[in-house]
Amino acid sequence: MWVPQLSEFNQPVYLSIADALARDIGSGLLNDGDRLPTLRELAVTLNVTPGTISRAYSEAQRRGLVQGEVGRGTYVLAQPPLVLPEGSSAPSLSLGQAEALDLSIIKPYSETLEYWLRGALVGMARSSDFGRALDYAPDGGHPAHREAGAQWLRHSLPEANWQQVVITSGAQHGLMVAISALSNAGDLVLCESLCYPGIISVAHGLERRLRGVGMDEEGILPEALREQCLREKPALLVCVASCQNPTTAIMSPRRRAQIAAIAEEFDFLIIDDDIYGFLATDPSIKPLSSYAPQRSVYLTSLSKAIMPALRVGYLYSPPKLLSRLSSMVRSSVWMPSPLTAQLASNVIVEGLDRKLVQTQRNEAAARQAIARDVFAGLEIRTQPHSYHLWLTLPEPWTGDEFATLARANGVLVMSGSQFQVERGASSRCVRVVLMSPTTQDELRFALTQLASLIEADPRRYR
């Protein structure tokens, strides 16, 4: 029996049932001619009155989704194909064959994304909430979209409430918003000595003085952070405490508590960039921001967990910082796209997000196994469900030399020098991304290419 997955938006139950019908028809879960449950059957299942189900079916019939027949029940109607305006044609764009196997960009496995996206888009277009996605949003985002964001956050922050959520146009925009709102030009901003290049570009673009803090296998060293604070007071610390990019380091709870205590002692704010938190091996480890909630802004997004095109980020802030963050969102983009936020909210409320996350974790684990096999004997740092690994090359290789040679042989990786906050000695590391190739066979081929190149003498190419 069909049972709808109801949204949690503030709307009557009968509309949520009709919306669920639209989504399930659009996704192919329900097909032309399928018989729906009787009013009484569905009312008992959902613990509502038969009158509520009757209103839902009437609303669905008004939308052209179903047809009721006396004595026979209610049936799904075939949906007409999308008709383009007269004189137009369906857009066609051929991207051609990729020239290289790209292991340089961190992104989720894409094989399953197109199927659910088609259904989600059709369902959203037929939803009674669709009008909300076409209008201006209030500061911080629509309450319903912020509540969906809070639902996503509750997997890491169980007490998250929607009033403290600010919607951004992805994590990179969220990072820019937080640094802009919480520091001034010339302020000192700290981060890991090896960090995501996007942090470097944002800090320099905003004229902040960025300094890297020494690291070990868990990430930032508390003693190195303390030494920096004794030399000069920072305004902010930007930290990736789980599956750090590029080293894949995960901070222990003890280390997180130490970093939070130093922030309290020296009175600076923390931007807890938890974009890879869903990949952590131990989900019980609390986010860094949980150890200093009144001086931390938690940042995450859906682009790595769900799909790159879903450019929706969420900042979770203590109340005292909310207005500054919301104002900076307005100053930078006026508002993130409500259309994208609505799509993201539908995915979260329907529970599809957790299914997709589990798909990504399973795929990452399988690809990590391939990497361990191909790179056996080499020095790598990674995590069981990480999208990437950190490979230390044997001497006399440098990361720059190897990345150049790999590109010439049709495989793209990033040299460790590109992650250095302060450029100094050459790096012997490269970051290798595992999720980009379409198939696991394609990944194995690319990694085998890299392994064979490592065995070569780099002096032949100088």
Side-chain angles (χ1 to χ4, degrees):
M1 184 179 76
W2 174 75
V3 178
Q5 298 297 314
L6 302 185
S7 73
E8 296 182 3
F9 294 146
N10 296 323
Q11 65 175 5
V13 174
Y14 81 93
L15 287 178
S16 294
I17 296 172
D19 291 346
L21 259 173
R23 288 192 298 269
D24 289 349
I25 293 172
S27 68
L29 182 63
L30 291 173
N31 299 300
D32 179 29
D34 284 350
R35 185 178 183 276
L36 296 178
T38 66
L39 303 184
R40 185 170 299 279
E41 286 173 337
L42 197 52
V44 170
T45 301
L46 298 179
N47 195 27
V48 298
T49 67
T52 298
I53 307 302
S54 178
R55 292 187 69 188
Y57 284 1
S58 295
E59 171 65 18
Q61 186 165 331
R62 185 188 66 81
R63 300 185 196 180
L65 302 173
V66 301
Q67 178 65 53
E69 298 181 21
V70 177
R72 294 191 64 236
T74 304
Y75 293 82
V76 174
L77 287 177
Q79 299 303 304
L82 178 66
V83 178
L84 296 171
E86 186 177 351
S88 66
S89 59
S92 177
L93 176 63
S94 175
L95 299 180
Q97 194 70 21
E99 295 182 358
L101 293 167
D102 193 345
L103 308 187
S104 67
I105 299 175
I106 297 180
K107 61 181 182 179
Y109 176 61
S110 62
E111 190 68 16
T112 60
L113 299 180
E114 183 177 341
Y115 171 78
W116 74 257
L117 180 60
R118 289 179 185 274
L121 287 170
V122 171
M124 182 177 70
R126 291 174 174 159
S127 168
S128 62
D129 297 325
F130 189 52
R132 175 170 56 209
L134 304 178
D135 202 354
Y136 283 102
D139 283 355
H142 283 295
H145 298 163
R146 294 164 71 186
E147 169 56 34
Q151 185 173 328
W152 170 258
L153 296 176
R154 287 181 194 124
H155 297 286
S156 301
L157 301 171
E159 305 302 320
N161 65 77
W162 72 267
Q163 291 92 340
Q164 291 176 242
V165 174
V166 175
I167 297 177
T168 67
S169 298
Q172 184 71 8
H173 178 235
L175 180 66
M176 186 276 291
V177 165
I179 293 177
S180 298
L182 305 179
S183 64
N184 299 306
D187 280 351
L188 177 64
V189 175
L190 302 179
C191 66
E192 295 98 338
S193 57
L194 292 168
C195 76
Y196 165 56
I199 296 174
I200 301 173
S201 63
V202 166
H204 290 170
L206 295 173
E207 299 181 339
R208 272 49 167 182
R209 293 181 296 115
L210 190 67
R211 296 287 182 273
V213 182
M215 305 170 66
D216 65 4
E217 66 279 359
E218 283 193 29
I220 285 180
L221 286 160
E223 54 269 29
L225 178 60
R226 176 177 289 278
E227 289 175 8
Q228 288 271 18
C229 294
L230 288 171
R231 287 197 295 268
E232 185 178 3
K233 175 178 168 53
L236 292 172
L237 168 67
V238 181
C239 186
V240 183
S242 293
C243 293
Q244 198 261 349
N245 183 9
T247 68
T248 77
I250 296 180
M251 281 189 183
S252 65
R254 181 173 181 271
R255 178 68 60 86
R256 295 174 194 234
Q258 290 173 319
I259 299 298
I262 294 172
E264 294 282 357
E265 180 182 355
F266 290 95
D267 190 28
F268 59 82
L269 299 174
I270 298 173
I271 300 176
D272 179 14
D273 186 346
D274 199 36
I275 191 171
Y276 299 111
F278 70 98
L279 295 174
T281 306
D282 183 358
S284 67
I285 296 179
K286 297 188 298 183
L288 173 60
S289 54
S290 297
Y291 293 87
Q294 296 308 308
R295 61 174 60 253
S296 300
V297 173
Y298 180 87
L299 168 63
T300 188
S301 81
L302 301 182
S303 61
K304 304 299 185 186
I306 309 298
M307 68 178 303
L310 206 55
R311 305 302 301 171
V312 178
Y314 302 106
L315 292 169
Y316 192 74
S317 166
K320 64 183 180 181
L321 303 178
L322 278 171
S323 62
R324 291 159 67 178
L325 295 170
S326 296
S327 295
M328 189 54 64
V329 170
R330 185 171 62 249
S331 297
S332 57
V333 297
W334 189 260
M335 65 175 184
S337 167
L339 198 62
T340 308
Q342 180 70 41
L343 179 60
S345 299
N346 288 355
V347 170
I348 293 169
V349 169
E350 292 166 23
L352 187 57
D353 59 324
R354 304 321 300 174
K355 296 177 184 177
L356 291 169
V357 163
Q358 192 56 52
T359 297
Q360 298 299 339
R361 285 173 59 88
N362 293 343
E363 184 68 23
R367 292 181 179 227
Q368 286 286 344
I370 293 172
R372 287 193 301 271
D373 180 40
V374 175
F375 288 155
L378 296 173
E379 183 182 346
I380 61 174
R381 291 177 59 184
T382 191
Q383 302 294 337
H385 301 97
S386 175
Y387 284 179
H388 70 284
L389 58 83
W390 188 236
L391 171 64
T392 300
L393 300 163
E395 293 182 340
W397 279 112
T398 69
D400 289 342
E401 288 175 328
F402 185 77
T404 299
L405 180 62
R407 177 184 287 271
N409 283 269
V411 184
L412 306 182
V413 296
M414 285 187 69
S415 167
S417 64
Q418 296 181 259
F419 301 92
Q420 294 175 337
V421 176
E422 295 148 24
R423 300 297 174 92
S426 61
S427 172
R428 284 177 43 223
C429 297
V430 290
R431 189 192 70 183
V432 182
V433 176
L434 307 179
M435 301 292 276
S436 298
T438 303
T439 67
Q440 293 180 17
D441 286 342
E442 191 176 72
L443 172 67
R444 183 178 287 276
F445 176 82
L447 297 183
T448 302
Q449 286 280 89
L450 295 179
S452 66
L453 293 175
I454 291 173
E455 296 175 359
D457 186 343
R459 288 169 291 199
R460 292 171 50 194
Y461 304 99
R462 289 175 178 166

